[in-house]
Amino acid sequence: MNSRQIRAGAVAMTGVLLLGACGGGGPGGSGGDFTDGKLVLAILNDQSGIYKDASGPNSVKAVKMAVADYQKKYGDRAVVDDIEVTSTDHQNKPDIANTKAKELYERGGADVILDVPTSSAALAVANQAKSHKKLFLDVSAATTALTGAQCNKYTFQWAYNTYMLANGTGTTVTQNGDKNWHIIYPDYQFGQDMTKSFTEAIKGAGGTVQGTIPTPFPNDNFATFLTKAGSTNPDVIGTMQAGGDLINVVKQFNESGLKDKGINLAVGLMLITDIHSLGVEQFAGTMFTDAWYWNMDAESRAWADRFRDETGARPTFEHAGNYSAALQYLEAVQEAGTDDADAVVGKLEGKKINDMFLRNGEVRAKDHLVVHDAYLARVKKPSEVKEPWDYEEIVTTIPASKAFPPAEASTCSR
Amino acid sequence: MNALLQYAVQGLAAGSFYALAALGLAIIFGVLGVVNFAHGAFYMLGAVTAAVLLDTLNLTLWWSLLVVPVLMFAFGVVVERLFVQWLLRLDPLYNFLLTFGLTLVLVELVKQKYGVSGLPYTPPEALQGRVELAGVVLPRYQLFVFLFSVAICVLVWLVMTRTRVGMIVRASTEKPELARALGINVGRWVTPVFGFGVAIAGLAGVLSAPFRAITADMGNNFAIILFAVVVIGGLGSIVGAVVAGFLVGLVEAFGQAYAPTFAQVLIFVLMALVILVRPAGLFGRKEATA
């Protein structure tokens, strides 16, 4: 084979490849507006570890529900027919999240990565989104850095952040009279962020933080940490532990007798799956901030019923958040008529949204934080529970403008 | 003073779990020569079984303390017959691979069946609340855990030193060749001893159910500290395991009180010191008496 033949062959091959790339465009679309002719929504989260129940495989089902709803709504008018939903396990490790995100964007054809719990893992994915110029809608990670110091054009934070949790719980509990706090927190990024946010919120509301205690993570013995925190006679002990560690704290707090001394427990981050696993009697009366509750109104409940039929469980706010993020992404793609990341970002920025999950929601253009109403919740007493998963009473709705930090305070600069 | 006493009781309560589990680990190592890396998983299974029994059959903690060790003994016997016995003649590395692999399988199976958020557990009324002793308010459950595990340790010690079975097990632990030469069928004791070690780990799991999160992963971190306990006590030493168990509990509690960031590190510092000064552990092989 001489060089001319090789060159001719190469040209022919390239032509075939180009045809292949363009030919797959959906019938609703104007061929070529979608890379590979399809849209790939990649969920990257914890499929096997401590956050599996809070988000995990059921978030994949929630995203599939969003795809089904999109297809039902637009039918033949949909700009893309072929929508693929994939799921990948990052095991809550930033290094794995980093590699997987790179793979998904480069070889998995991912147009958007969704979910990504664990702050350090989410920051790694945000970095990949930035360098690949592809979208990342984070739902389950709480660090404010995602839309603050480490923000970028392609990253959005959809459901909550540590500010929302701290502001809701820290401010309200302090204003309700529990002015002196002692905080215990797991000694890693999330715990440190939470402690910082809580301290600011408590001071802002006129309270004081008498002390903070870092604890190992994970850990199953908190007895002495709690005794130590209780020895300064605070009004309330704030725990920033999450998941299994939170359950250890609550069990050992209840057992310690600190409650009899008039010391309350405030929880930084709690999901309905935590209450479900430990039982309402252990948590009864505990105040915490929630981004959404499945039984807060008819619209949420209707969706939660569908979710239950799919999964057998009631959704956490993370499940609902993933549904909302996927649905609004698809809406933006529909509007833009393409999966081109810059075009989709343009449609999302500044958009005002009201859906099953977001109330008075707005995708803030400045830092890509999605602000919306948040809720201060109280865990019901066993006698108040009327049906399975009926665990929360919404005490106050915190309006979107107060629930999240103001745009002016954002340190994001792109 | 008041606070010191409180920390001490908390340390002893935490140490109770380590002491019981390490006791089983030490006996298994002594008789079988197997370092059982699945011990954390057996501890977890004990707690999960107790939670399931409470949920399905309404068996309270009192019943679980009786029933679960029996179930776990049976499970241990099955595991020994099916897997462990084939490895006794091989390099210890194979034991490591087997028991570590077994841990992964058991943990994943529990995750598949019960999820990762954990199972609820309500302790009996009698063990809730607090008692006042010499001006110090102590949670009832912690006292119970401590007294109960001390009782079990004493019972095991009596069996080991005062009965024929105990003598045979000790002889098999310390001088297997000599025991064989004297006509004792050491092999016959291997299966029940393994079962017993598993049963005690399960018992520690039951005790932890009202007190700790019952999740598939609860044994992972526990097992790491457990091995520090066994190394501190001296591999294969039964008394060493128990003493080191309580010691580590105390170190953990006082560490949490006075140097929270280093609470867990301190345990391993202690372990390193013991290895430096007494490589065989506090009650290592040479000194092992019971």
Side-chain angles (χ1 to χ4, degrees):
Chain A
M1 206 189 268
N2 63 29
S3 65
R4 223 170 99 193
Q5 276 173 309
I6 292 176
R7 208 176 304 137
V11 170
M13 290 290 282
T14 315
V16 169
L17 281 175
L18 282 174
L19 276 176
C22 301
S30 49
D33 289 344
F34 287 86
T35 38
D36 315 328
K38 64 180 178 187
L39 206 56
V40 180
L41 280 63
I43 294 120
L44 180 59
N45 66 10
D46 181 2
Q47 294 277 318
S48 54
I50 52 169
Y51 301 133
K52 180 187 164 204
D53 291 353
S55 170
N58 282 352
S59 282
V60 180
K61 288 186 180 152
V63 169
K64 286 184 174 157
M65 285 166 71
V67 172
D69 285 355
Y70 165 78
Q71 284 167 334
K72 199 170 141 201
K73 180 174 172 189
Y74 289 101
D76 287 345
R77 288 180 294 122
V79 292
V80 59
D81 284 343
D82 194 358
I83 303 175
E84 202 180 301
V85 176
T86 68
S87 81
T88 311
D89 192 355
H90 74 0
Q91 299 168 37
N92 297 319
K93 296 188 179 121
D95 51 330
I96 297 184
N98 191 48
T99 325
K100 293 288 177 191
K102 194 167 151 62
E103 265 176 37
L104 285 168
Y105 284 137
E106 283 175 8
R107 282 184 277 135
D111 292 294
V112 60
I113 290 181
L114 293 156
D115 202 11
V116 196
T118 307
S119 294
S120 46
L123 289 171
V125 176
N127 224 354
Q128 290 295 340
K130 184 183 176 187
S131 58
H132 287 87
K133 300 194 189 321
K134 291 274 176 73
L135 266 83
F136 168 37
L137 308 187
D138 187 274
V139 177
S140 302
T143 180
T144 47
L146 270 181
T147 49
Q150 299 192 43
C151 71
N152 66 61
K153 186 182 174 186
Y154 302 94
T155 298
F156 296 79
Q157 192 166 31
W158 209 266
Y160 76 124
N161 63 15
T162 53
Y163 180 96
M164 182 204 97
L165 299 170
N167 181 56
T169 311
T171 308
T172 320
V173 171
T174 307
Q175 282 170 351
N176 286 352
D178 286 345
K179 293 208 180 307
N180 296 313
W181 288 66
H182 210 114
I183 293 176
I184 61 172
Y185 66 96
D187 202 1
Y188 71 108
Q189 177 91 42
F190 167 77
Q192 293 154 359
D193 276 5
M194 285 288 281
T195 306
K196 199 166 150 257
S197 299
F198 260 80
T199 306
E200 280 165 16
I202 292 161
K203 284 183 180 155
T208 52
V209 177
Q210 298 177 338
T212 59
I213 303 177
T215 71
F217 169 78
N219 181 34
D220 52 14
N221 177 14
F222 290 94
T224 309
F225 289 132
L226 288 166
T227 308
K228 187 83 183 166
S231 65
T232 58
N233 279 319
D235 298 320
V236 55
I237 293 177
T239 167
M240 303 303 136
Q241 272 73 18
D245 279 12
L246 173 64
I247 296 175
N248 279 314
V249 168
V250 173
K251 276 189 175 182
Q252 289 161 28
F253 174 83
N254 288 343
E255 206 237 14
S256 68
L258 290 168
K259 228 180 214 169
D260 302 347
K261 283 170 72 185
I263 299 172
N264 293 319
L265 185 71
V267 176
L269 169 61
M270 187 150 74
L271 289 153
I272 196 163
T273 39
D274 296 320
I275 309 175
H276 187 67
S277 80
L278 194 50
V280 271
E281 64 274 21
Q282 296 262 13
F283 278 115
T286 306
M287 308 273 256
F288 68 105
T289 308
D290 207 342
W292 178 84
Y293 175 54
W294 69 269
N295 203 14
M296 64 185 201
D297 57 21
E299 193 184 359
S300 306
R301 193 184 167 95
W303 186 80
D305 285 345
R306 282 174 60 203
F307 184 87
R308 186 193 51 195
D309 295 343
E310 289 275 331
T311 65
R314 290 297 190 179
T316 63
F317 79 77
E318 294 182 358
H319 295 134
N322 272 295
Y323 170 87
S324 164
L327 188 69
Q328 298 307 332
Y329 171 75
L330 291 169
E331 290 279 1
V333 168
Q334 178 73 21
E335 243 181 274
T338 170
D339 63 355
D340 177 70
D342 293 288
V344 177
V345 168
K347 294 292 174 198
L348 280 172
E349 276 182 347
K351 190 173 182 183
K352 297 221 184 326
I353 300 171
N354 266 298
D355 66 10
M356 176 281 293
F357 173 73
L358 298 173
R359 302 300 156 84
N360 301 314
E362 183 189 344
V363 185
R364 221 151 66 183
K366 185 183 177 197
D367 55 2
H368 289 184
L369 178 66
V370 179
V371 299
H372 58 100
D373 291 355
Y375 311 89
L376 188 74
R378 185 182 65 81
V379 181
K380 289 185 173 178
K381 294 194 200 84
S383 58
E384 297 169 315
V385 173
K386 301 279 186 310
E387 60 180 316
W389 297 87
D390 175 24
Y391 301 144
E392 295 178 27
E393 181 201 337
I394 303 298
V395 182
T396 336
T397 299
I398 307 162
S401 56
K402 294 239 176 72
F404 291 90
E408 305 83 62
S410 175
T411 53
C412 173
S413 55
R414 279 181 268 121
Chain B
M1 191 57 214
N2 198 321
L4 286 182
L5 200 61
Q6 213 161 10
Y7 300 151
V9 171
Q10 284 164 350
L12 291 173
S16 303
F17 300 109
Y18 298 135
L20 276 184
L23 177 64
L25 202 60
I27 290 180
I28 291 176
F29 179 77
V31 176
L32 283 79
V34 168
V35 179
N36 179 25
F37 280 87
H39 223 63
F42 294 142
Y43 162 80
M44 175 272 291
L45 277 187
V48 169
T49 312
V52 172
L53 287 178
L54 180 69
D55 185 44
T56 54
L57 302 175
N58 211 10
L59 287 187
T60 60
L61 183 79
W62 307 114
W63 281 105
S64 281
L65 287 173
L66 275 177
V67 176
V68 175
V70 174
L71 293 175
M72 291 301 291
F73 179 85
F75 182 67
V77 167
V78 172
V79 169
E80 200 278 335
R81 286 288 88 193
L82 279 180
F83 305 111
V84 178
Q85 64 155 328
W86 307 106
L87 298 172
L88 295 182
R89 275 168 238 98
L90 299 175
D91 189 281
L93 186 63
Y94 291 92
N95 289 318
F96 166 73
L97 289 175
L98 173 84
T99 50
F100 188 68
L102 199 60
T103 305
L104 297 179
V105 171
L106 290 174
V107 168
E108 283 310 310
L109 283 177
V110 170
K111 275 185 194 171
Q112 290 298 326
K113 183 87 177 96
Y114 301 107
V116 295
S117 304
L119 302 162
Y121 200 88
T122 320
E125 285 286 332
L127 293 178
Q128 294 182 15
R130 276 135 308 267
V131 285
E132 207 178 311
L133 276 181
V136 185
V137 180
L138 298 168
R140 271 189 201 174
Y141 193 71
Q142 285 183 2
L143 278 180
F144 168 75
V145 166
F146 174 59
L147 295 176
F148 185 85
S149 58
V150 167
I152 294 286
C153 292
V154 170
L155 199 68
V156 171
W157 183 74
L158 285 176
V159 170
M160 285 290 170
T161 52
R162 301 291 153 87
T163 65
R164 194 179 139 70
V165 176
M167 272 188 266
I168 292 171
V169 169
R170 272 193 301 146
S172 315
T173 310
E174 279 151 37
K175 298 255 163 35
E177 293 80 15
L178 200 58
R180 273 195 202 93
L182 290 170
I184 295 168
N185 185 352
V186 175
R188 226 180 78 191
W189 293 98
V190 164
T191 310
V193 162
F194 191 83
F196 177 73
V198 173
I200 293 206
L203 188 63
V206 177
L207 277 178
S208 76
F211 196 52
R212 294 184 173 175
I214 307 168
T215 66
D217 287 320
M218 68 186 287
N220 302 359
N221 199 36
F222 182 77
I224 295 171
I225 296 179
L226 200 55
F227 279 97
V229 169
V230 175
V231 170
I232 291 169
L235 268 178
S237 164
I238 293 162
V239 170
V242 173
V243 173
F246 287 113
L247 184 64
V248 165
L250 287 172
V251 169
E252 191 174 277
F254 283 98
Q256 288 191 358
Y258 296 108
T261 326
F262 302 102
Q264 261 177 14
V265 180
L266 280 177
I267 295 169
F268 296 97
V269 171
L270 176 67
M271 182 180 92
L273 283 178
V274 168
I275 292 176
L276 277 177
V277 182
R278 282 177 85 99
L282 293 179
F283 296 80
R285 276 268 174 211
K286 276 176 206 156
E287 295 83 17
T289 48

